[in-house]
């Protein structure tokens, strides 16, 4: 007698594993996510193998001392290796849909398949929204709910990695709202010059913001821009002239690859869901953030990967399928003061604010 067994590809565990893989691949930020310290968004799954709701990202600062030379004594002249930590606390995130009565006739695996697309879209959008919100956050506080005092304190600690418009001088004595008012719709659009300035800010910040390695030893920063600022960048005369002067088709494609703009060691990626901050610029214009990111700009921690669940209620009349994960997203911040978490700095991000006037 031969026993009938379920195909391994149809078991819930296999389905959830496939779901998570597709979720990662389909996420708008997926190309920048990985477990390495070289990734823009570093992913940790330590808690999937042990109990707990928090994990720590570590930073070991580079050595900056001169060392000793010749026959000088090294004993007693060693340099302190400073380290910092960032604590990320995970939480449960979930959603569900009710499958119509007709779907009740199908197997539990079919029920999962029936809701697969909408649940996957929701999970990807949920992660995307968290990443965008974290990039704009003020030391873990949502930008929209942060007080002016909190924004000013953040700016004091991050003044070496924040740019208002086209000039560093627009920072009005670390007064966040006053600095935004310096941004106008003539001089302070996102341009190639502003991008290059943001790159110089990244390389001169203390501590420096590390570029990521792509295609072997090539080093790049990744900038995320909303539709309005990306629009202005594409019409910048320096960018358009560079496009015209690239005579080789292959190189021309690289300059505007898949909608991205490559400039001065920076890959600028348009993110549709980065929205302007309404009415905070000169004359009440909208201003939009642009994030130039290096390695470990954000962290994602998982205690449980995305997985599906089912539920039957109302005497079998209501069949539901849900999805859940235990995870969270943080912008990586490390202390720059005497204690571990004193005077927090955005570790891998230069935040720029630029004019973002709507299309007329």
């Amino acid at each position: 007698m031969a026993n009938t067994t379920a195909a391994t590809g149809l078991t819930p565990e296999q389905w959830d594993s496939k779901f998570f893989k597709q979720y990662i691949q389909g996420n708008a930020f997926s190309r920048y996510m990985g477990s390495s310290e070289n990734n823009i968004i570093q992913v940790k799954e330590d808690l999937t193998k042990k109990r707990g709701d928090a994990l720590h990202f570590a930073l070991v600062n580079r050595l900056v001392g001169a060392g000793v030379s010749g026959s000088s004594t090294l004993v007693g002249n060693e340099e302190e290796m400073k380290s910092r930590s960032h604590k990320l606390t995970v939480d449960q995130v979930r959603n569900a849909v009710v499958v119509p009565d007709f779907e009740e006739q199908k197997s539990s695996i079919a029920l999962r398949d029936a809701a697969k697309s909408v649940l996957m879209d929701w999970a990807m959008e949920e992660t995307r929204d968290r990443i965008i919100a974290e990039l704009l956050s003020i030391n873990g506080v949502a930008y929209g709910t942060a007080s002016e005092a909190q924004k000013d304190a953040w700016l004091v600690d991050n003044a070496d990695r924040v740019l208002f418009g086209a000039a560093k001088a627009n920072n009005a004595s670390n007064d966040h709202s006053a600095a935004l008012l310096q941004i106008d719709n003539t001089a302070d659009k996102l341009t190639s010059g502003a991008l290059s300035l943001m790159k110089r800010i990244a390389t001169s910040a203390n501590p420096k913001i590390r570029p990521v390695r792509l295609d072997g030893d090539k080093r790049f920063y990744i900038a995320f821009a909303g539709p309005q600022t990306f629009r202005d960048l594409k019409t910048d005369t320096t960018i358009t002239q560079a496009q015209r002067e690239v005579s080789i088709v292959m190189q021309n494609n690289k300059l505007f690859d898949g909608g991205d703009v490559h400039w001065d060691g920076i890959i600028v990626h348009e993110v549709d869901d980065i929205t302007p901050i309404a009415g905070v610029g000169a004359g009440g214009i909208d201003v939009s953030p642009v994030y130039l990111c290096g390695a470990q700009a954000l962290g994602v921690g998982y205690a449980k990967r995305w997985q599906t669940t089912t539920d039957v209620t109302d005497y079998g009349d209501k069949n539901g399928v849900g999805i859940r994960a235990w995870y969270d997203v943080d912008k990586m911040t490390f202390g720059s003061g005497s204690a571990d978490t004193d005077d927090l700095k955005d570790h891998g991000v230069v935040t720029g604010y630029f004019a973002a006037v709507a299309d007329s």
Side-chain angles (χ1 to χ4, degrees), residues 131-153:
I131 290 173
I132 293 172
E134 279 300 310
L135 283 169
L136 187 57
S137 66
I138 303 295
N139 290 339
V141 179
Y143 186 89
T145 59
S147 67
E148 284 302 314
Q150 288 174 319
K151 292 174 183 177
D152 291 348

Side-chain angles (χ1 to χ4, degrees), residues 254-269:
K254 287 182 179 180
L255 189 62
F256 287 85
D257 181 21
D260 292 346
V261 171
H262 295 206
W263 176 259
D264 194 17
I266 306 164
I267 300 173
V268 188
H269 182 68

Side-chain angles (χ1 to χ4, degrees), residues 203-217:
T203 57
S204 62
N206 184 24
K208 293 182 179 180
I209 295 174
R210 292 187 295 115
V212 295
R213 293 188 301 274
L214 299 175
D215 300 327
D217 291 331

Side-chain angles (χ1 to χ4, degrees), residues 277-299:
I277 307 168
V280 295
I285 67 167
D286 295 347
V287 170
S288 185
V290 173
Y291 309 104
L292 185 140
C293 297
Q296 291 180 294
L298 298 110

Side-chain angles (χ1 to χ4, degrees), residues 88-360:
L88 184 150
T89 302
V90 302
D91 198 0
Q92 179 171 245
V93 181
R94 56 182 180 163
N95 200 355
V97 298
V98 174
V99 180
D101 289 343
F102 176 73
E103 301 298 336
E104 193 176 275
Q105 304 300 316
K106 300 181 181 180
S107 71
S108 61
I109 301 303
L111 290 176
R112 293 170 186 264
D113 288 341
K116 174 182 175 181
S117 61
V118 292
L119 289 172
M120 183 178 292
D121 287 346
W122 179 84
M124 290 189 295
E125 290 170 1
E126 204 277 340
T127 303
R128 175 205 65 200
D129 292 344
R130 286 190 180 224
I131 290 173
I132 293 172
E134 279 300 310
L135 283 169
L136 187 57
S137 66
I138 303 295
N139 290 339
V141 179
Y143 186 89
T145 59
S147 67
E148 284 302 314
Q150 288 174 319
K151 292 174 183 177
D152 291 348
W154 169 82
L155 183 54
V156 168
D157 294 332
N158 290 274
D160 64 337
R161 56 198 67 217
V162 177
L163 176 66
F164 295 91
K168 295 171 69 174
N170 286 338
N171 181 352
S173 302
N174 292 327
D175 184 321
H176 190 272
S177 59
L180 289 174
L181 285 171
Q182 302 300 311
I183 300 172
D184 65 49
N185 195 39
T186 301
D188 297 309
K189 296 179 179 179
L190 180 62
T191 64
S192 57
L195 276 176
S196 294
L197 176 55
M198 291 180 74
K199 178 182 176 181
R200 293 194 296 274
I201 288 172
T203 57
S204 62
N206 184 24
K208 293 182 179 180
I209 295 174
R210 292 187 295 115
V212 295
R213 293 188 301 274
L214 299 175
D215 300 327
D217 291 331
K218 295 180 181 179
R219 295 177 180 269
F220 290 92
Y221 290 103
I222 309 296
F224 300 113
Q228 296 82 9
T229 49
F230 195 78
R231 170 204 63 199
D232 293 338
L233 177 64
K234 289 194 298 182
T235 58
D236 175 57
T237 55
T238 300
I239 294 291
T240 56
Q241 182 65 29
Q243 184 185 24
R244 286 193 295 269
E245 291 177 353
V246 175
S247 58
I248 303 175
V249 174
M250 182 71 71
Q251 295 298 320
N252 195 15
N253 289 339
K254 287 182 179 180
L255 189 62
F256 287 85
D257 181 21
D260 292 346
V261 171
H262 295 206
W263 176 259
D264 194 17
I266 306 164
I267 300 173
V268 188
H269 182 68
E270 182 179 12
V271 179
D272 294 343
D273 298 279
I274 293 178
T275 57
I277 307 168
V280 295
I285 67 167
D286 295 347
V287 170
S288 185
V290 173
Y291 309 104
L292 185 140
C293 297
Q296 291 180 294
L298 298 110
V300 180
Y302 286 97
K304 185 187 292 292
R305 289 181 168 190
W306 289 101
Q307 64 177 210
T308 52
T309 58
T310 56
D311 182 56
V312 180
T313 59
D314 196 17
Y315 297 94
D317 183 60
K318 301 295 188 295
N319 296 272
V321 58
I323 187 171
R324 66 173 180 170
W326 298 347
Y327 91 113
D328 207 350
V329 179
D330 273 1
K331 180 165 60 173
M332 292 290 94
T333 56
F334 293 100
S336 60
S338 56
D340 186 17
T341 58
D342 286 351
D343 304 327
L344 293 174
K345 284 194 174 188
D346 295 349
H347 174 62
V349 184
V350 175
T351 303
Y353 299 95
F354 297 95
V357 175
D359 296 328
S360 57

Side-chain angles (χ1 to χ4, degrees), residues 44-61:
K44 283 197 171 189
E45 297 189 77
D46 302 19
L47 294 178
T48 60
K49 301 177 182 179
K50 59 185 179 183
R51 293 184 179 275
D53 67 348
L55 50 79
H56 291 81
F57 290 79
L59 168 68
V60 178
N61 289 330

